[in-house]
Structure formats: structure tokens, C-alpha cells
Amino acid sequence: MIEARLFAYELLEELRRDLPLLDWASRALPNKPVEACVVAKASGVAAGVDEAEEFLKLLGFVVTWRLAEGSTVGPGARVVCFRGPAPDVLKVERTLLNLLMHASGVATYTRRLVEKARSVNPRVTVAATRKTLPHLRYIEMKAVVVGGGDPHRLSLSDAQMFKDNYLRLISLDEAAAAPKPFIHRREVEVGTVEDAVRAAELGFDVVMLDNMAPEEVRRVAEELERRGLRGRVLLEASGNISEENIHLYAPYVDVVSIGRITHSAQALDMSLEVADAKTRVGLIGYGRLGRALLELARGDGELEFVAVYDVDRERCREAERTHGVRCVGDVDELVRAVEIVVEAASAQAVLEYACRVLEAGRHLVVASTGALSKLPRCGTGYVFAISGAAGGVDVAASTGGRVRHVVRKAAAVGEDSGPAEELYWRYPQSLNTSMTYKLAGAGEVWVELRRDAPPGYIIHEVEVEHQWGRVHIRAENKAEGTTSYAAALSLYNTLKNAARLVKGGRVVVGTFAVL
């Protein structure tokens, strides 16, 4: 958003004021990459996140997580996370927190006022005023909008508004006749019932009732109604209105404007938490594939498995005992703790849990790739499907050729043949690689499932025919049951690359298909 980026340049100036020369404390820190998250310490409404993201990007940080503007947060909720050198992260801490805490405080206070006012008048508008802090009008007005309010005038140029000091110099009649652009409304501030009626008669578009008690505001509304003038003007109440009494004004007016929304809103408490820049990963399914994946990731400098979920609670607890990964009670708890979720369970698990992962803004690495053929589009996270342990996916994807895939598994539950998209749902544990060819863009995929592999092996014979030639691949993979170690390696490699991409990687090698 251009507006957010423009304001981010102003934040650079604020950082310059905070960092005029050198930060002597940061010079003592190791120049290693870390990840930092702004974390809410109170409940409220997040605002200023767009501007925070643009500010961090201008400084070369990689934003790894962010909430949407207007999201409801509670204590412990991450608002924005970013990655960069440890000394630089701490240099921007205060500027970043000042922005998010103030903007979120304004949005939170606005939301409370709007909810209270609309509890008695669902159509009333709660508006700000021009009582904004120097240099912060843009972000404060945007925060009001994020909280559900209205910015009123953004500047003197936005409407023709005659306040009390103007009317000390000209009459109400002269104000009503003053020239203005056709697109602007004409508003006047009054303090009595009589002036309000006269302003309506003169054709003012908006009549502001300033510093009037609720009973007086009610009298104005009733008198205008009695004279048939109420429908010709918008009534605005302003002055000495707060969260404690807004419900007394809201029933009688169209707009309630409150200066303290911007100049006196309490900041929403937040802090910056810094950790090593590892990607937090959760695992669904602790069978042979999940177990092999955790072994491969042991001691990985980029990944940290922090949670595992399995419907078999004993297997889940075994993962905790063996690998030190916390066993969680449900998928939602796992999703809250991680950035990337790995499915190593089944096609049914993909269909049951994938949208919950993606709708929470997390990314998903899928081993049961065939299930993606029935997965609806949902959420904002990315899905990464493994290429499998047979090879040739790139050829099938780039040529759109016909694929013949012979799968030999001694542990297969049966022997069969047919199109991949039909056969997969009969043998979902055995034919994920076959469906990967189809998802990648192969014209057709014919599958033959056989049980004649030697013990301890899974054999793939892949033939890709296309108009420019033919490719033949034979892969003999050591295996345990229906899972080969090569499949675990493919899953691990996909996870590593997914983590690098979402952490800011810019070179992608071997993109087979984007769906």
C-alpha cells in the first residue's frame, strides 16, 4: 500500500532522531541473524501493521509473520515478526513499538467507543477530530478507521467548517452564503437550540452541537423533527463526550466526534521478543515417515520442531519422549505454536486439517500429495507438495507428457492399474508420487501397482513420453513397509526449502507447478 510506504519514510526520520550516530550497546552484540516478534501484552485491536511491515522492509529486514490490520489480539499474540542481524533488530525496537502501541491503542479505544455507541443506535458514526499529535495525523486517522470509526476531516481542505471563532467574525447568514467547492459539505458549530434550528433553515449540511448536555441534544433533535427539518441535516455531537457518556448522546445524532480518540488514547502494551532465527515447525503424524523426518531434522540449524500431533496419543507421547517435541492435544494448539506445519499422516489428515492450518496464516508441507486434488482453496498460507522419491516430475511438468508409473511395493495392500486420479483414492498410502505427476501438469498418468518388489525395497519405474522425446527412470529405494527413506528425504528437503522461501529466500530452483 503506497500510503503505508510513504509513512514508513517518515518512520525512517524518527529512527534517525533515535540513532543520530552510533548505538554503543548494539556494537557489543554478535552479528548473527535472529528473529524478533512484537508481542501484545494486553487485549485490543492491532493497527499500524502495514506501516510497520513497510518500515522493516525499507531497512532490509525480512518480515516472516504479520497480522492483518484490525485483528483482535490478546496477551501473547504475535503482531509482526521479522528477521535480521541482532544489532540492527534492537536498533529499531523502540521506533517499531512506539508505532504499533500508539496506533493499536487508538484503534482499540475507537472500537470500544463504536461498540458502546452502536449498542443504543446501530446507525451512529463515531468520528475523530483534527486533534492529532504532530506528524502522526495519518497513522492516527488510519487507526481510527481500523477501529471502526470515521476520520471526519483529514485537513482544513476537506470541508467548509465554521467553528465558534469564525462566527465571532462573521454572521451565521454570511457563513451559509460563503463560496465552496460543490463536492464539499458545509458544517457549522452551534451551542443553542435556536442556532441549530437557524442553521438547518439556512441549508447547512451538518450542524455540530458543541459542548451541549445530552438533554439539550435531545431537544435539538426533537425541535428539528417538529419543524420538519431533521431530515435535511446531519446532527453531530461533540465536546466533553467520553466512553462513560457516549451512549447518552448516540440516540439523538448521526455523528459523535471525540478528540480524545487520537490525543488521549492509551497505548496498547507490547514488547519485542528476540530468539534465534529458526523456523518453528509442527508435525502431524508420527508414523514411519514422521519419525524419519524428526531424525533428519535433529540438530538442524534452520528448523526447530516444537510440536507434534497424532490421533494415536501413545505415538504422540513417544515423539515427545524420543525427540523432545511437545505432544499437543489438538491441531489448533499445534498451529498456534508454529510457522510451518508438516503433514506426514494420511490423505484424510490433509482434508481434515489443511484449511485450519492455512486459514490461520500458517504454511503447510504435504506428504500425502494426492489429497490436494480434493482440497478446496482456503486461507492465506502456502502449500508445498513434495516431489516424491521417483524422479521425473520436472519433465512431466514442463512437457505435459504422458506418464506410465509402475509402483512395486511388497507391502502394498493389492495389485491394480488405472488412471492415477481414480486409483489414488483406493490406495492413498501407495500412490502419492503418481498423483504428484498429475498435479505437476502431466497430460495423463497411468499407474500399475504391483507387489513383486524384493523385501525392504520400493521400486518405481517411470516413463514419460512427450512430443520431443522419452524419459525412462528406475528408482530402487530402501524402504520400511510402504514408506521409503527417500520419501523422508524428499519431505525434509521440501520443508527446508519452504522455510527458506518464507524467511526471504529469493532464488527458487526447480519449480514444477504453481496451482
Side-chain angles (χ1 to χ4, degrees):
M1 189 169 77
I2 291 176
E3 297 93 330
R5 173 153 289 217
L6 290 173
F7 186 74
Y9 283 105
E10 296 187 37
L11 291 173
L12 291 181
E13 290 302 314
E14 182 62 25
L15 178 62
R16 166 58 64 196
R17 286 188 281 271
D18 198 34
L19 187 62
L21 295 171
L22 296 174
D23 176 11
W24 295 100
S26 294
R27 288 173 66 85
L29 299 177
N31 192 34
K32 68 173 185 177
V34 297
E35 184 158 25
C37 292
V38 175
V39 177
K41 298 172 71 176
S43 297
V45 178
V49 189
D50 289 339
E51 290 71 24
E53 180 178 20
E54 292 294 340
F55 171 61
L56 292 168
K57 286 180 177 178
L58 285 177
L59 291 167
F61 294 105
V62 175
V63 176
T64 58
W65 163 262
R66 54 151 296 174
L67 286 176
E69 293 280 2
S71 297
T72 300
V73 299
R78 294 178 300 152
V79 179
V80 63
C81 298
F82 60 102
R83 187 181 188 190
D88 291 345
V89 165
L90 296 187
K91 289 171 188 173
V92 302
E93 176 180 5
R94 180 45 50 200
T95 303
L96 183 63
L97 287 174
N98 286 350
L99 163 69
L100 289 168
M101 290 170 63
H102 181 57
S104 300
V106 171
T108 300
Y109 187 44
T110 303
R111 179 77 57 87
R112 291 206 308 267
L113 289 166
V114 169
E115 289 175 350
K116 190 159 187 180
R118 290 183 179 167
S119 69
V120 295
N121 180 359
R123 294 181 299 277
V124 73
T125 295
V126 176
T129 70
R130 285 172 37 255
K131 296 174 183 176
T132 54
L133 298 175
H135 310 295
L136 296 180
R137 180 170 298 177
Y138 160 78
I139 195 63
E140 289 179 346
M141 291 301 194
K142 183 190 171 186
V144 168
V145 174
V146 168
D150 189 277
H152 206 291
R153 287 191 299 171
L154 295 175
S155 72
L156 290 169
S157 300
D158 291 338
Q160 189 183 56
M161 184 171 176
F162 295 97
K163 296 179 68 67
D164 55 351
N165 282 330
Y166 291 82
L167 297 177
R168 290 189 175 97
L169 301 173
I170 60 174
S171 68
L172 197 60
D173 291 59
E174 289 174 311
K180 69 173 183 63
F182 77 92
I183 202 167
H184 282 180
R185 281 178 168 166
R186 180 180 283 122
E187 179 170 5
V188 67
E189 176 185 301
V190 301
T192 67
V193 176
E194 293 74 23
D195 283 346
V197 171
R198 180 62 181 151
E201 291 173 338
L202 287 170
F204 280 90
D205 302 300
V206 186
V207 176
M208 177 195 287
L209 310 177
D210 189 48
N211 288 309
M212 297 175 71
E215 299 78 24
E216 295 177 287
V217 171
R218 178 180 58 79
R219 283 181 53 214
V220 169
E222 290 175 348
E223 185 61 22
L224 290 175
E225 189 70 44
R226 188 181 70 80
R227 295 175 180 241
L229 298 170
R230 181 64 182 89
R232 290 169 50 179
V233 295
L234 290 176
L235 278 186
E236 175 182 345
S238 188
N240 295 317
I241 301 175
S242 66
E243 190 176 358
E244 287 68 38
N245 65 12
I246 191 172
H247 64 289
L248 301 177
Y249 289 87
Y252 311 113
V253 296
D254 305 290
V255 180
V256 180
S257 57
I258 303 175
R260 69 181 67 201
I261 284 183
T262 50
H263 68 64
S264 297
Q266 182 178 354
L268 187 68
D269 197 10
M270 297 180 182
S271 63
L272 188 74
E273 296 183 1
V274 179
D276 284 334
K278 287 188 177 183
T279 301
R280 296 179 301 278
V281 184
L283 174 65
I284 298 176
Y286 185 68
R288 293 189 184 98
L289 187 59
R291 189 178 300 112
L293 179 63
L294 291 182
E295 287 293 339
L296 286 167
R298 193 187 295 272
D300 191 291
E302 298 176 284
L303 306 173
E304 181 183 6
F305 278 88
V306 298
V308 61
Y309 171 76
D310 196 301
V311 291
D312 185 326
R313 304 309 295 160
E314 182 50 42
R315 286 202 310 200
C316 188
R317 287 188 285 270
E318 179 191 341
E320 188 170 76
R321 291 191 300 269
T322 306
H323 298 280
V325 180
R326 180 165 61 95
C327 172
V328 297
D330 58 56
V331 167
D332 292 330
E333 183 181 357
L334 179 139
V335 168
R336 286 193 295 270
V338 304
E339 300 165 73
I340 297 179
V341 175
V342 178
E343 173 276 318
S346 64
Q348 185 57 40
V350 174
L351 297 180
E352 186 171 351
Y353 303 128
C355 281
R356 286 155 69 178
V357 173
L358 301 173
E359 286 167 357
R362 307 308 196 264
H363 309 296
L364 178 66
V365 177
V366 173
S368 303
T369 54
L372 297 178
S373 63
K374 289 188 177 181
L375 184 69
R377 288 189 177 274
C378 53
T380 57
Y382 292 113
V383 179
F384 300 89
I386 69 172
S387 57
V393 179
D394 52 347
V395 177
S398 59
T399 64
R402 298 183 301 276
V403 176
R404 177 174 175 264
H405 184 201
V406 180
V407 184
R408 304 177 189 273
K409 291 188 177 185
V413 296
E415 293 191 330
D416 210 338
S417 62
E421 55 269 36
E422 294 179 13
L423 214 60
Y424 173 75
W425 292 101
R426 294 184 221 162
Y427 311 99
Q429 294 288 82
S430 297
L431 300 181
N432 281 299
T433 301
S434 304
M435 281 299 291
T436 298
Y437 294 119
K438 187 65 181 176
L439 290 168
E444 62 181 57
V445 181
W446 181 265
V447 181
E448 298 174 19
L449 179 60
R450 302 177 183 174
R451 302 179 63 185
D452 57 357
Y457 280 87
I458 295 174
I459 298 174
H460 296 272
E461 294 176 354
V462 182
E463 186 175 273
V464 184
E465 280 193 36
H466 52 86
Q467 67 182 90
W468 300 278
R470 174 184 298 177
V471 174
H472 186 84
I473 298 171
R474 179 183 172 92
E476 299 181 359
N477 299 322
K478 293 182 179 180
E480 183 180 352
T482 59
T483 303
S484 70
Y485 194 67
L489 288 168
S490 177
L491 182 59
Y492 177 54
N493 186 57
T494 302
L495 171 60
K496 293 270 287 185
N497 288 324
R500 289 168 181 166
L501 181 66
V502 301
K503 290 290 189 184
R506 291 294 179 266
V507 179
V508 179
V509 179
T511 299
F512 303 140
V514 178
L515 307 178

